[in-house]
């Protein structure tokens, strides 16, 4: 089983939304880019939500997220896993990222959206019991992973609209 480490967060101090995955998959780890698998729907969905070209260079997509005040990270800093499936993560090896420091440095974040069940479960188990921040709302969204192909793009996009509602309430 391989020991893997996640990426640094995509962030800026004005971010009010944080999207959390569990741990980058093999294609992402190889490329050093979030959601690099060609069948992952993350960038297509974000393209619709914040008007960005999902085919644009990675750095432009990252800047579009920052401009939209959306931070992106993973719950896990490291773990052991074979392949890309969240179900293959060895739970005994999970080490969470430092959310205490992150939230102290990102005081505008009011909403955390989980990209799938595994991210939410890891956060609620490993992070939330140690958090003393009450200003944050949490919501699980359907995973954009190709492993979650049973939910069509249109339904996923409808659920992910919650990000737009959090960005521009009212």
């Amino acid at each position: 089983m391989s020991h893997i480490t996640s990426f640094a967060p995509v962030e800026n101090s004005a971010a009010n939304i944080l999207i959390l995955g569990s741990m980058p998959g093999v294609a992402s780890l190889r490329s050093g880019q979030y959601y690099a698998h060609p069948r992952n729907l993350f960038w297509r969905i974000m393209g619709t939500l914040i008007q960005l070209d999902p085919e644009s260079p990675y750095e432009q997509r990252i800047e579009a997220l920052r401009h939209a005040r959306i931070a992106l990270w993973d719950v896990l800093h490291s773990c052991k896993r074979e392949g890309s499936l969240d179900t293959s993560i060895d739970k005994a090896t999970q080490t969470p990222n430092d959310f205490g420091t992150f939230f102290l440095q990102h005081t505008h974040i009011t909403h955390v959206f989980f990209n799938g069940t595994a991210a939410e479960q890891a956060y609620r188990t490993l992070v939330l019991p140690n958090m003393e921040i009450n200003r944050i709302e949490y919501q699980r969204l359907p995973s954009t992973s190709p492993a979650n192909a049973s939910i069509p793009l249109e339904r996923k996009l409808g659920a992910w609209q919650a990000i737009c509602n959090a960005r521009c309430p009212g």
Side-chain angles (χ1 to χ4, degrees):
M1 211 172 260
S2 301
H3 186 268
I4 54 177
T5 303
S6 66
F7 307 134
V10 169
E11 47 79 33
N12 69 37
S13 61
N16 63 343
I17 291 172
L18 173 61
I19 300 172
L20 291 174
S22 53
M23 173 62 74
V26 172
S28 293
L29 291 168
R30 272 195 207 120
S31 69
Q33 299 179 0
Y34 281 101
Y35 302 106
H37 192 287
R39 290 193 334 254
N40 192 300
L41 297 174
F42 179 82
W43 292 111
R44 283 183 64 190
I45 289 172
M46 294 311 296
T48 300
L49 297 181
I50 63 170
Q51 291 76 51
L52 78 92
D53 177 0
E55 301 299 322
S56 63
Y58 182 70
E59 280 307 315
Q60 287 180 11
R61 289 180 273 154
I62 293 302
E63 282 309 309
L65 286 179
R66 288 182 178 128
H67 181 74
R69 298 176 39 195
I70 296 172
L72 182 63
W73 208 13
D74 288 299
V75 175
L76 299 178
H77 170 70
S78 65
C79 67
K80 287 186 179 180
R81 179 187 69 203
E82 285 302 322
S84 293
L85 295 177
D86 288 335
T87 55
S88 297
I89 293 173
D90 178 354
K91 292 196 183 326
T93 65
Q94 295 180 121
T95 302
N97 275 309
D98 181 1
F99 287 93
T101 300
F102 183 85
F103 287 126
L104 284 174
Q105 295 172 348
H106 300 85
T107 57
H108 297 290
I109 291 180
T110 57
H111 293 78
V112 171
F113 292 95
F114 301 104
N115 188 349
T117 302
E120 180 186 33
Q121 288 175 342
Y123 186 90
R124 291 193 184 280
T125 302
L126 301 169
V127 178
L128 198 56
N130 303 312
M131 296 301 299
E132 296 181 11
I133 299 172
N134 297 320
R135 72 179 190 276
I136 297 174
E137 292 183 38
Y138 298 98
Q139 183 174 348
R140 180 182 67 222
L141 301 172
S143 173
T144 61
S145 167
N148 189 27
S150 65
I151 300 175
L153 172 61
E154 296 75 30
R155 263 190 47 215
K156 288 180 184 181
L157 184 57
W160 280 72
Q161 283 292 138
I163 290 174
C164 292
N165 298 341
R167 286 182 62 218
C168 305

